[in-house]
Amino acid sequence: MSRTALATIHLGALRRNLARVRERARGAKVMAVVKADGYGHGLERVARACADADALGVAALGDGLRLRSAGNRQRIVVLSGPDEAGDLAEFRRLQLDAVIHHESQLAWLTADRSESSKIGRPLRVWLKIDTGMHRLGFDPQNIVEIYTKLQALPNIDPDIVLMTHFAASDEFDNGLTAAQIARFDEATAELVGARALANSAGLLGWPTSFDVEVAHADAWVRVGGLLYGLSVVAGKSGANLGFEPAMTLSTRLISVKQVIKGERIGYAATWECPEDMPIGVAAIGYGDGYPRSAQPGTPVLVNGVRAAIVGRVSMDLVTIDLRNAPAAQVGDRVTLWGPELPVETIAAYAGTISYDLTCSMTRRVLFVEDER
Ligand SMILES: Cc1ncc(COP(=O)(O)O)c(C=O)c1O
């Protein structure tokens, strides 16, 4: 019996979700966003499952290096580009696409006199425009000038992809997204080249942002959450949106005992037994990445039967009200989230979002994969 908390990654779900994304993308190219270790599902594993994607999106150079070291030959886009001038040689050596979003990066590119800037395959660049999120990107009014400058630099691929990122695309009636699309279109009207605007919520709710006809050019969608079957819309699960959760987190019961009415459970004795009742202890806690903020009442499945966490989540253990599962025994499987228990439900009890939970698994969790 393995006591270890287990994250089972469902490769079939990843593949089918990618196919669903492609279908909805209506001819636009699909970037599978695999940053943060594939949203906690495992970078190399997710990349393998997404072999059909037109590109992979990672946050930083190190992830690109990891993928290339694992033998990955897909197109890889580093979404925050180089962090220092010296990174450029690595981008070229590893054949990674660089998102350029800041003057400092432009200056490094302009000053680059290295050997690698003269030979080898031209660097592929994605030019990021800040249309209203005010995180990364250039001011829309400077875009034509920057685009022209970039194209004139030696050993840069002239097919520069124009991109922006939405701040509130998950709110389908929020005018900010429409305004961002309008700002983007205005700033890029004179420019040729592919466009990349939509994230998962953009794919669901903002079709004009990846409509190839409207853009008169190649369009891309950059999709993370939906690939993993995670919800990108408040109040809905990934499954509600037609996507399959790609992670099941489970462990086992290591203790079951009767506790009498009026006794209190766990640290700080916060939860009082309303009657004599069975309390189970499962081998998982915040040391594994299960959220300490999960409130009493947070559901778990014990042998597939819904039960609830009571008391505080501790580092290695959670305590469970087993009144719904009176036959439960030591060794029985406890599911914390997965296709049968939406991670969005747990996120709501913990005051966070599903992405935060899947990204938070620690090294103590054993990762396995299946074809489900
Ligand atoms: C630039 C960029 N594009 C795309 C994505 C994917 O977003 P989502 O997981 O909501 O699809 C992200 C994620 O934050 C991002 O930073």
Side-chain angles (χ1 to χ4, degrees):
M1 173 181 107
S2 164
R3 173 187 159 154
T4 320
L6 211 59
T8 307
I9 306 305
H10 309 306
L11 301 178
L14 287 170
R15 287 192 209 102
R16 289 187 294 275
N17 287 339
L18 177 61
R20 290 177 180 111
V21 166
R22 195 174 281 294
E23 205 178 300
R24 284 180 182 250
R26 298 192 303 212
K29 292 184 175 163
V30 177
M31 180 195 296
V33 180
V34 297
K35 62 198 177 84
D37 203 28
Y39 289 44
H41 296 63
L43 175 64
E44 294 84 355
R45 173 185 298 116
V46 176
R48 255 187 291 117
C50 292
D52 287 348
D54 299 297
L56 301 172
V58 297
L61 176 59
D63 292 336
L65 178 58
R66 237 175 97 179
L67 284 170
R68 291 290 184 245
S69 305
N72 189 293
R73 302 176 65 84
Q74 281 167 276
R75 185 170 182 180
I76 298 174
V77 183
V78 178
L79 292 168
S80 53
D83 294 331
E84 55 185 39
D87 286 352
L88 287 173
E90 279 296 89
F91 271 79
R92 292 183 187 277
R93 183 178 74 84
L94 297 166
Q95 303 203 340
L96 304 173
D97 291 23
V99 170
I100 300 299
H101 60 81
H102 194 265
E103 291 290 346
S104 56
Q105 296 172 318
L106 212 51
W108 302 330
L109 277 170
T110 309
D112 190 8
R113 302 275 179 274
S114 64
E115 271 308 296
S116 60
S117 72
K118 297 178 197 124
I119 50 166
R121 208 190 68 184
L123 180 71
R124 290 205 278 210
V125 167
W126 297 54
L127 178 55
K128 187 160 186 177
I129 311 170
D130 179 4
T131 55
M133 177 137 175
H134 304 310
R135 201 174 57 172
L136 300 183
F138 292 98
D139 193 319
Q141 63 190 24
N142 301 330
I143 280 304
V144 172
E145 190 191 326
I146 293 166
Y147 183 94
T148 313
K149 244 190 220 170
L150 274 169
Q151 272 198 323
L153 290 176
N155 219 17
I156 301 267
D157 190 324
D159 285 336
I160 295 168
V161 183
L162 298 158
M163 69 179 280
T164 194
H165 194 45
F166 294 141
S169 51
D170 53 326
E171 296 163 15
F172 297 146
D173 53 359
N174 190 326
L176 177 58
T177 307
Q180 286 193 265
I181 296 170
R183 278 178 211 153
F184 181 92
D185 287 346
E186 196 190 338
T188 61
E190 295 172 27
L191 303 176
V192 292
R195 268 90 172 132
L197 292 86
N199 53 359
S200 290
L203 178 74
L204 294 180
W206 301 93
T208 59
S209 70
F210 56 90
D211 190 317
V212 180
E213 299 284 304
V214 174
H216 300 295
D218 270 359
W220 285 80
V221 296
R222 307 183 309 267
V223 173
L226 290 178
L227 201 57
Y228 307 97
L230 301 175
S231 176
V232 292
V233 180
K236 298 216 183 234
S237 69
N240 292 152
L241 300 170
F243 290 80
E244 295 172 72
M247 179 191 286
T248 295
L249 180 66
S250 67
T251 185
R252 296 204 188 242
L253 284 178
I254 59 163
S255 164
V256 176
K257 58 187 180 189
Q258 275 299 116
V259 181
I260 59 173
K261 180 178 174 182
E263 288 297 306
R264 290 169 172 267
I265 307 295
Y267 281 122
T270 52
W271 196 84
E272 183 177 322
C273 295
E275 58 185 319
D276 294 359
M277 57 186 286
I279 294 287
V281 181
I284 194 163
Y286 62 81
D288 302 284
Y290 189 80
R292 184 173 180 277
S293 54
Q295 295 302 303
T298 304
V300 298
L301 301 177
V302 178
N303 291 329
V305 177
R306 201 168 160 121
I309 285 179
V310 291
R312 287 207 179 145
V313 172
S314 48
M315 187 183 287
D316 313 314
L317 304 166
V318 294
T319 34
I320 301 170
D321 171 355
L322 289 177
R323 283 176 293 177
N324 274 353
Q329 295 176 3
V330 167
D332 284 354
R333 182 132 311 272
V334 178
T335 302
L336 290 311
W337 61 69
E340 285 77 33
L341 179 58
V343 64
E344 288 79 14
T345 305
I346 313 310
Y349 275 92
T352 186
I353 59 167
S354 56
Y355 288 26
D356 181 19
L357 297 187
T358 61
C359 283
S360 295
M361 298 292 91
T362 68
R363 274 176 292 180
R364 192 163 75 179
V365 176
L366 180 66
F367 276 72
V368 296
E369 50 194 52
D370 66 15
E371 286 302 316
R372 181 172 175 183

